Amino acid sequence: MTTETADINAAEAARVKAVQDADRKAVEQVVATVERTQRAKDADGFLALFHPDALWTTGHGRVLIGFDAIAEFTRTVLPTATWDGEVTYEVVHTQFLRPDVAAVKVRQVYHSPTGDTEGAPLYVMTRQDDGRWLLHACQNTEVRGAR
């Protein structure tokens, strides 16, 4: 390998890393917005995060296919949800399956005076042509016995 080829390879690797770092931050912002909109019971803000062809499986196993089904469920459940405490979402792992597809493992904790409960969502997100990352296929799983 020539010095010139090594320099090109190093520059390309640095470019790819910079793009992945920016995408990782963008994905983390989507998760932060999930947290914010859940806390605020903001159905429209939450729904703005979804791809039109999204599918969602709730923590209780309800399967919602397509934006309309997700919107109907969210607009019914989220504004009337009750909890004593706060919910937090933490990205624990991001795996880029392709440059425009990320699998994101999240730790979701509902903090309440009676004790914390935990969920373990997996969000598959896709980057749109305009650069936005949207929730595309999501599965939430209750973690039993979490503390």
Side-chain angles (χ1 to χ4, degrees):
M1 177 182 304
T2 68
T3 302
E4 182 178 312
T5 303
D7 289 345
I8 291 170
N9 289 342
E12 178 61 14
R15 187 195 67 76
V16 167
K17 183 180 180 328
V19 168
Q20 278 192 337
D21 288 347
D23 284 338
R24 188 170 275 105
K25 287 179 184 172
V27 162
E28 289 171 356
Q29 282 300 313
V30 171
V31 174
T33 303
V34 168
E35 177 181 303
R36 182 184 53 74
T37 58
Q38 291 285 314
R39 285 179 171 194
K41 299 181 183 183
D42 175 5
D44 290 332
F46 180 69
L47 291 169
L49 302 172
F50 284 88
H51 188 277
D53 296 326
L55 62 100
W56 181 275
T57 303
T58 70
H60 299 290
R62 183 157 179 194
V63 178
L64 307 168
I65 298 174
F67 182 84
D68 291 343
I70 295 166
E72 180 181 354
F73 177 83
T74 299
R75 288 188 175 118
T76 300
V77 173
L78 186 58
T80 61
T82 59
W83 55 79
D84 296 326
E86 297 188 333
V87 62
T88 58
Y89 290 74
E90 173 191 4
V91 173
V92 293
H93 182 74
T94 300
Q95 179 74 40
F96 290 98
L97 306 176
R98 296 186 339 203
D100 61 340
V101 179
V104 183
K105 196 63 187 160
V106 175
R107 181 172 185 251
Q108 170 193 56
V109 181
Y110 287 97
H111 304 278
S112 77
T114 59
D116 294 350
T117 57
E118 190 172 331
L122 173 64
Y123 301 155
V124 176
M125 295 186 198
T126 53
R127 185 177 56 216
Q128 307 309 293
D129 291 339
D130 64 4
R132 290 179 306 136
W133 283 89
L134 296 177
L135 301 168
H136 207 126
C138 305
Q139 167 78 44
N140 198 354
T141 304
E142 179 183 354
V143 176
R144 297 193 185 255
R147 279 264 172 199

PDB file of all heavy atoms in Angstrom, residues 85-110:
ATOM      1  N   GLY A  85     -44.761   9.315  39.228  1.00  0.00           N
ATOM      2  CA  GLY A  85     -43.314   9.339  39.053  1.00  0.00           C
ATOM      3  C   GLY A  85     -42.942   9.764  37.651  1.00  0.00           C
ATOM      4  O   GLY A  85     -43.697  10.444  36.965  1.00  0.00           O
ATOM      5  N   GLU A  86     -41.776   9.323  37.211  1.00  0.00           N
ATOM      6  CA  GLU A  86     -41.237   9.714  35.918  1.00  0.00           C
ATOM      7  C   GLU A  86     -40.779   8.490  35.147  1.00  0.00           C
ATOM      8  O   GLU A  86     -40.473   7.455  35.732  1.00  0.00           O
ATOM      9  CB  GLU A  86     -40.021  10.626  36.094  1.00  0.00           C
ATOM     10  CG  GLU A  86     -40.275  11.927  36.761  1.00  0.00           C
ATOM     11  CD  GLU A  86     -39.053  12.829  36.700  1.00  0.00           C
ATOM     12  OE1 GLU A  86     -37.912  12.314  36.624  1.00  0.00           O
ATOM     13  OE2 GLU A  86     -39.252  14.039  36.715  1.00  0.00           O
ATOM     14  N   VAL A  87     -40.675   8.664  33.847  1.00  0.00           N
ATOM     15  CA  VAL A  87     -40.108   7.628  33.002  1.00  0.00           C
ATOM     16  C   VAL A  87     -38.801   8.159  32.425  1.00  0.00           C
ATOM     17  O   VAL A  87     -38.689   9.340  32.101  1.00  0.00           O
ATOM     18  CB  VAL A  87     -41.084   7.203  31.881  1.00  0.00           C
ATOM     19  CG1 VAL A  87     -41.395   8.367  30.948  1.00  0.00           C
ATOM     20  CG2 VAL A  87     -40.554   6.011  31.103  1.00  0.00           C
ATOM     21  N   THR A  88     -37.810   7.298  32.348  1.00  0.00           N
ATOM     22  CA  THR A  88     -36.539   7.650  31.718  1.00  0.00           C
ATOM     23  C   THR A  88     -36.219   6.627  30.636  1.00  0.00           C
ATOM     24  O   THR A  88     -36.586   5.452  30.751  1.00  0.00           O
ATOM     25  CB  THR A  88     -35.371   7.703  32.726  1.00  0.00           C
ATOM     26  OG1 THR A  88     -35.246   6.428  33.373  1.00  0.00           O
ATOM     27  CG2 THR A  88     -35.587   8.791  33.760  1.00  0.00           C
ATOM     28  N   TYR A  89     -35.552   7.104  29.589  1.00  0.00           N
ATOM     29  CA  TYR A  89     -35.130   6.255  28.478  1.00  0.00           C
ATOM     30  C   TYR A  89     -33.640   6.470  28.284  1.00  0.00           C
ATOM     31  O   TYR A  89     -33.187   7.609  28.188  1.00  0.00           O
ATOM     32  CB  TYR A  89     -35.853   6.649  27.191  1.00  0.00           C
ATOM     33  CG  TYR A  89     -37.324   6.321  27.170  1.00  0.00           C
ATOM     34  CD1 TYR A  89     -38.236   7.061  27.912  1.00  0.00           C
ATOM     35  CD2 TYR A  89     -37.792   5.272  26.397  1.00  0.00           C
ATOM     36  CE1 TYR A  89     -39.591   6.766  27.882  1.00  0.00           C
ATOM     37  CE2 TYR A  89     -39.143   4.966  26.365  1.00  0.00           C
ATOM     38  CZ  TYR A  89     -40.032   5.721  27.100  1.00  0.00           C
ATOM     39  OH  TYR A  89     -41.364   5.420  27.071  1.00  0.00           O
ATOM     40  N   GLU A  90     -32.911   5.376  28.208  1.00  0.00           N
ATOM     41  CA  GLU A  90     -31.462   5.457  28.028  1.00  0.00           C
ATOM     42  C   GLU A  90     -31.048   4.528  26.893  1.00  0.00           C
ATOM     43  O   GLU A  90     -31.361   3.333  26.917  1.00  0.00           O
ATOM     44  CB  GLU A  90     -30.766   5.025  29.322  1.00  0.00           C
ATOM     45  CG  GLU A  90     -29.277   4.906  29.216  1.00  0.00           C
ATOM     46  CD  GLU A  90     -28.653   4.218  30.424  1.00  0.00           C
ATOM     47  OE1 GLU A  90     -29.370   3.755  31.315  1.00  0.00           O
ATOM     48  OE2 GLU A  90     -27.414   4.149  30.438  1.00  0.00           O
ATOM     49  N   VAL A  91     -30.366   5.068  25.900  1.00  0.00           N
ATOM     50  CA  VAL A  91     -29.823   4.239  24.827  1.00  0.00           C
ATOM     51  C   VAL A  91     -28.669   3.438  25.419  1.00  0.00           C
ATOM     52  O   VAL A  91     -27.719   4.013  25.953  1.00  0.00           O
ATOM     53  CB  VAL A  91     -29.339   5.094  23.640  1.00  0.00           C
ATOM     54  CG1 VAL A  91     -28.626   4.222  22.600  1.00  0.00           C
ATOM     55  CG2 VAL A  91     -30.502   5.846  23.015  1.00  0.00           C
ATOM     56  N   VAL A  92     -28.763   2.121  25.335  1.00  0.00           N
ATOM     57  CA  VAL A  92     -27.691   1.286  25.867  1.00  0.00           C
ATOM     58  C   VAL A  92     -26.836   0.655  24.761  1.00  0.00           C
ATOM     59  O   VAL A  92     -25.711   0.232  25.021  1.00  0.00           O
ATOM     60  CB  VAL A  92     -28.219   0.194  26.832  1.00  0.00           C
ATOM     61  CG1 VAL A  92     -28.780   0.823  28.087  1.00  0.00           C
ATOM     62  CG2 VAL A  92     -29.227  -0.706  26.176  1.00  0.00           C
ATOM     63  N   HIS A  93     -27.372   0.620  23.536  1.00  0.00           N
ATOM     64  CA  HIS A  93     -26.574   0.079  22.428  1.00  0.00           C
ATOM     65  C   HIS A  93     -27.201   0.514  21.108  1.00  0.00           C
ATOM     66  O   HIS A  93     -28.424   0.462  20.955  1.00  0.00           O
ATOM     67  CB  HIS A  93     -26.514  -1.450  22.478  1.00  0.00           C
ATOM     68  CG  HIS A  93     -25.672  -2.046  21.401  1.00  0.00           C
ATOM     69  ND1 HIS A  93     -24.307  -1.991  21.418  1.00  0.00           N
ATOM     70  CD2 HIS A  93     -26.010  -2.677  20.255  1.00  0.00           C
ATOM     71  CE1 HIS A  93     -23.831  -2.587  20.330  1.00  0.00           C
ATOM     72  NE2 HIS A  93     -24.845  -3.000  19.608  1.00  0.00           N
ATOM     73  N   THR A  94     -26.359   0.925  20.170  1.00  0.00           N
ATOM     74  CA  THR A  94     -26.800   1.235  18.818  1.00  0.00           C
ATOM     75  C   THR A  94     -25.960   0.415  17.859  1.00  0.00           C
ATOM     76  O   THR A  94     -24.726   0.457  17.917  1.00  0.00           O
ATOM     77  CB  THR A  94     -26.644   2.739  18.503  1.00  0.00           C
ATOM     78  OG1 THR A  94     -27.428   3.481  19.433  1.00  0.00           O
ATOM     79  CG2 THR A  94     -27.104   3.051  17.088  1.00  0.00           C
ATOM     80  N   GLN A  95     -26.634  -0.330  17.002  1.00  0.00           N
ATOM     81  CA  GLN A  95     -25.962  -1.145  15.987  1.00  0.00           C
ATOM     82  C   GLN A  95     -26.460  -0.679  14.620  1.00  0.00           C
ATOM     83  O   GLN A  95     -27.654  -0.771  14.336  1.00  0.00           O
ATOM     84  CB  GLN A  95     -26.308  -2.624  16.184  1.00  0.00           C
ATOM     85  CG  GLN A  95     -25.692  -3.562  15.172  1.00  0.00           C
ATOM     86  CD  GLN A  95     -24.215  -3.742  15.420  1.00  0.00           C
ATOM     87  OE1 GLN A  95     -23.777  -3.850  16.549  1.00  0.00           O
ATOM     88  NE2 GLN A  95     -23.440  -3.754  14.352  1.00  0.00           N
ATOM     89  N   PHE A  96     -25.550  -0.150  13.798  1.00  0.00           N
ATOM     90  CA  PHE A  96     -25.941   0.246  12.453  1.00  0.00           C
ATOM     91  C   PHE A  96     -25.953  -0.999  11.574  1.00  0.00           C
ATOM     92  O   PHE A  96     -24.919  -1.621  11.346  1.00  0.00           O
ATOM     93  CB  PHE A  96     -25.013   1.325  11.898  1.00  0.00           C
ATOM     94  CG  PHE A  96     -25.199   2.641  12.587  1.00  0.00           C
ATOM     95  CD1 PHE A  96     -24.349   3.038  13.609  1.00  0.00           C
ATOM     96  CD2 PHE A  96     -26.261   3.465  12.254  1.00  0.00           C
ATOM     97  CE1 PHE A  96     -24.542   4.235  14.270  1.00  0.00           C
ATOM     98  CE2 PHE A  96     -26.466   4.665  12.907  1.00  0.00           C
ATOM     99  CZ  PHE A  96     -25.607   5.052  13.922  1.00  0.00           C
ATOM    100  N   LEU A  97     -27.149  -1.375  11.113  1.00  0.00           N
ATOM    101  CA  LEU A  97     -27.303  -2.547  10.264  1.00  0.00           C
ATOM    102  C   LEU A  97     -26.910  -2.214   8.831  1.00  0.00           C
ATOM    103  O   LEU A  97     -26.416  -3.076   8.099  1.00  0.00           O
ATOM    104  CB  LEU A  97     -28.741  -3.053  10.316  1.00  0.00           C
ATOM    105  CG  LEU A  97     -29.270  -3.327  11.731  1.00  0.00           C
ATOM    106  CD1 LEU A  97     -30.731  -3.735  11.690  1.00  0.00           C
ATOM    107  CD2 LEU A  97     -28.418  -4.369  12.441  1.00  0.00           C
ATOM    108  N   ARG A  98     -27.174  -0.984   8.451  1.00  0.00           N
ATOM    109  CA  ARG A  98     -26.757  -0.359   7.196  1.00  0.00           C
ATOM    110  C   ARG A  98     -26.553   1.103   7.543  1.00  0.00           C
ATOM    111  O   ARG A  98     -26.953   1.535   8.622  1.00  0.00           O
ATOM    112  CB  ARG A  98     -27.848  -0.473   6.124  1.00  0.00           C
ATOM    113  CG  ARG A  98     -28.183  -1.852   5.690  1.00  0.00           C
ATOM    114  CD  ARG A  98     -29.155  -1.900   4.524  1.00  0.00           C
ATOM    115  NE  ARG A  98     -29.971  -0.717   4.320  1.00  0.00           N
ATOM    116  CZ  ARG A  98     -31.129  -0.701   3.677  1.00  0.00           C
ATOM    117  NH1 ARG A  98     -31.630  -1.816   3.194  1.00  0.00           N
ATOM    118  NH2 ARG A  98     -31.807   0.408   3.515  1.00  0.00           N
ATOM    119  N   PRO A  99     -25.967   1.884   6.666  1.00  0.00           N
ATOM    120  CA  PRO A  99     -25.784   3.299   7.005  1.00  0.00           C
ATOM    121  C   PRO A  99     -27.093   4.026   7.326  1.00  0.00           C
ATOM    122  O   PRO A  99     -27.101   4.979   8.081  1.00  0.00           O
ATOM    123  CB  PRO A  99     -25.129   3.884   5.751  1.00  0.00           C
ATOM    124  CG  PRO A  99     -24.412   2.725   5.135  1.00  0.00           C
ATOM    125  CD  PRO A  99     -25.290   1.530   5.403  1.00  0.00           C
ATOM    126  N   ASP A 100     -28.223   3.541   6.782  1.00  0.00           N
ATOM    127  CA  ASP A 100     -29.504   4.207   6.989  1.00  0.00           C
ATOM    128  C   ASP A 100     -30.468   3.411   7.871  1.00  0.00           C
ATOM    129  O   ASP A 100     -31.657   3.737   7.960  1.00  0.00           O
ATOM    130  CB  ASP A 100     -30.165   4.515   5.645  1.00  0.00           C
ATOM    131  CG  ASP A 100     -30.458   3.257   4.833  1.00  0.00           C
ATOM    132  OD1 ASP A 100     -29.833   2.198   5.092  1.00  0.00           O
ATOM    133  OD2 ASP A 100     -31.313   3.324   3.933  1.00  0.00           O
ATOM    134  N   VAL A 101     -29.980   2.374   8.533  1.00  0.00           N
ATOM    135  CA  VAL A 101     -30.816   1.535   9.403  1.00  0.00           C
ATOM    136  C   VAL A 101     -30.050   1.253  10.693  1.00  0.00           C
ATOM    137  O   VAL A 101     -28.925   0.765  10.657  1.00  0.00           O
ATOM    138  CB  VAL A 101     -31.197   0.189   8.736  1.00  0.00           C
ATOM    139  CG1 VAL A 101     -32.040  -0.670   9.675  1.00  0.00           C
ATOM    140  CG2 VAL A 101     -31.936   0.419   7.418  1.00  0.00           C
ATOM    141  N   ALA A 102     -30.695   1.548  11.820  1.00  0.00           N
ATOM    142  CA  ALA A 102     -30.062   1.321  13.120  1.00  0.00           C
ATOM    143  C   ALA A 102     -30.988   0.516  14.016  1.00  0.00           C
ATOM    144  O   ALA A 102     -32.197   0.774  14.069  1.00  0.00           O
ATOM    145  CB  ALA A 102     -29.731   2.647  13.797  1.00  0.00           C
ATOM    146  N   ALA A 103     -30.417  -0.457  14.711  1.00  0.00           N
ATOM    147  CA  ALA A 103     -31.120  -1.183  15.767  1.00  0.00           C
ATOM    148  C   ALA A 103     -30.663  -0.566  17.079  1.00  0.00           C
ATOM    149  O   ALA A 103     -29.464  -0.484  17.356  1.00  0.00           O
ATOM    150  CB  ALA A 103     -30.772  -2.665  15.720  1.00  0.00           C
ATOM    151  N   VAL A 104     -31.629  -0.096  17.871  1.00  0.00           N
ATOM    152  CA  VAL A 104     -31.307   0.667  19.072  1.00  0.00           C
ATOM    153  C   VAL A 104     -31.938   0.002  20.282  1.00  0.00           C
ATOM    154  O   VAL A 104     -33.164  -0.135  20.369  1.00  0.00           O
ATOM    155  CB  VAL A 104     -31.829   2.118  18.944  1.00  0.00           C
ATOM    156  CG1 VAL A 104     -31.426   2.946  20.151  1.00  0.00           C
ATOM    157  CG2 VAL A 104     -31.324   2.753  17.650  1.00  0.00           C
ATOM    158  N   LYS A 105     -31.108  -0.436  21.210  1.00  0.00           N
ATOM    159  CA  LYS A 105     -31.590  -1.048  22.447  1.00  0.00           C
ATOM    160  C   LYS A 105     -31.678   0.044  23.499  1.00  0.00           C
ATOM    161  O   LYS A 105     -30.747   0.826  23.691  1.00  0.00           O
ATOM    162  CB  LYS A 105     -30.626  -2.157  22.897  1.00  0.00           C
ATOM    163  CG  LYS A 105     -31.222  -3.072  23.911  1.00  0.00           C
ATOM    164  CD  LYS A 105     -32.404  -3.811  23.307  1.00  0.00           C
ATOM    165  CE  LYS A 105     -33.116  -4.612  24.361  1.00  0.00           C
ATOM    166  NZ  LYS A 105     -34.470  -4.949  23.967  1.00  0.00           N
ATOM    167  N   VAL A 106     -32.809   0.091  24.168  1.00  0.00           N
ATOM    168  CA  VAL A 106     -33.122   1.153  25.117  1.00  0.00           C
ATOM    169  C   VAL A 106     -33.461   0.542  26.472  1.00  0.00           C
ATOM    170  O   VAL A 106     -34.081  -0.515  26.552  1.00  0.00           O
ATOM    171  CB  VAL A 106     -34.315   1.991  24.596  1.00  0.00           C
ATOM    172  CG1 VAL A 106     -34.752   3.036  25.605  1.00  0.00           C
ATOM    173  CG2 VAL A 106     -33.972   2.637  23.257  1.00  0.00           C
ATOM    174  N   ARG A 107     -33.069   1.227  27.518  1.00  0.00           N
ATOM    175  CA  ARG A 107     -33.487   0.874  28.882  1.00  0.00           C
ATOM    176  C   ARG A 107     -34.519   1.915  29.292  1.00  0.00           C
ATOM    177  O   ARG A 107     -34.239   3.112  29.352  1.00  0.00           O
ATOM    178  CB  ARG A 107     -32.311   0.895  29.855  1.00  0.00           C
ATOM    179  CG  ARG A 107     -32.720   0.520  31.264  1.00  0.00           C
ATOM    180  CD  ARG A 107     -31.488   0.357  32.163  1.00  0.00           C
ATOM    181  NE  ARG A 107     -31.892  -0.107  33.474  1.00  0.00           N
ATOM    182  CZ  ARG A 107     -31.858   0.641  34.568  1.00  0.00           C
ATOM    183  NH1 ARG A 107     -31.394   1.877  34.521  1.00  0.00           N
ATOM    184  NH2 ARG A 107     -32.263   0.145  35.709  1.00  0.00           N
ATOM    185  N   GLN A 108     -35.731   1.448  29.560  1.00  0.00           N
ATOM    186  CA  GLN A 108     -36.853   2.309  29.913  1.00  0.00           C
ATOM    187  C   GLN A 108     -37.207   2.015  31.368  1.00  0.00           C
ATOM    188  O   GLN A 108     -37.460   0.860  31.719  1.00  0.00           O
ATOM    189  CB  GLN A 108     -38.017   1.960  28.988  1.00  0.00           C
ATOM    190  CG  GLN A 108     -39.342   2.547  29.323  1.00  0.00           C
ATOM    191  CD  GLN A 108     -40.424   1.848  28.512  1.00  0.00           C
ATOM    192  OE1 GLN A 108     -40.553   0.625  28.577  1.00  0.00           O
ATOM    193  NE2 GLN A 108     -41.177   2.612  27.754  1.00  0.00           N
ATOM    194  N   VAL A 109     -37.206   3.035  32.201  1.00  0.00           N
ATOM    195  CA  VAL A 109     -37.510   2.821  33.618  1.00  0.00           C
ATOM    196  C   VAL A 109     -38.617   3.779  34.047  1.00  0.00           C
ATOM    197  O   VAL A 109     -38.509   4.989  33.823  1.00  0.00           O
ATOM    198  CB  VAL A 109     -36.266   3.031  34.519  1.00  0.00           C
ATOM    199  CG1 VAL A 109     -36.609   2.777  35.985  1.00  0.00           C
ATOM    200  CG2 VAL A 109     -35.121   2.112  34.078  1.00  0.00           C
ATOM    201  N   TYR A 110     -39.667   3.209  34.633  1.00  0.00           N
ATOM    202  CA  TYR A 110     -40.702   4.013  35.270  1.00  0.00           C
ATOM    203  C   TYR A 110     -40.350   4.083  36.748  1.00  0.00           C
ATOM    204  O   TYR A 110     -40.349   3.072  37.438  1.00  0.00           O
ATOM    205  CB  TYR A 110     -42.086   3.388  35.070  1.00  0.00           C
ATOM    206  CG  TYR A 110     -42.593   3.540  33.663  1.00  0.00           C
ATOM    207  CD1 TYR A 110     -42.445   2.522  32.733  1.00  0.00           C
ATOM    208  CD2 TYR A 110     -43.198   4.726  33.257  1.00  0.00           C
ATOM    209  CE1 TYR A 110     -42.898   2.667  31.438  1.00  0.00           C
ATOM    210  CE2 TYR A 110     -43.648   4.884  31.953  1.00  0.00           C
ATOM    211  CZ  TYR A 110     -43.503   3.845  31.058  1.00  0.00           C
ATOM    212  OH  TYR A 110     -43.938   4.002  29.769  1.00  0.00           O
TER     213      TYR A 110
END
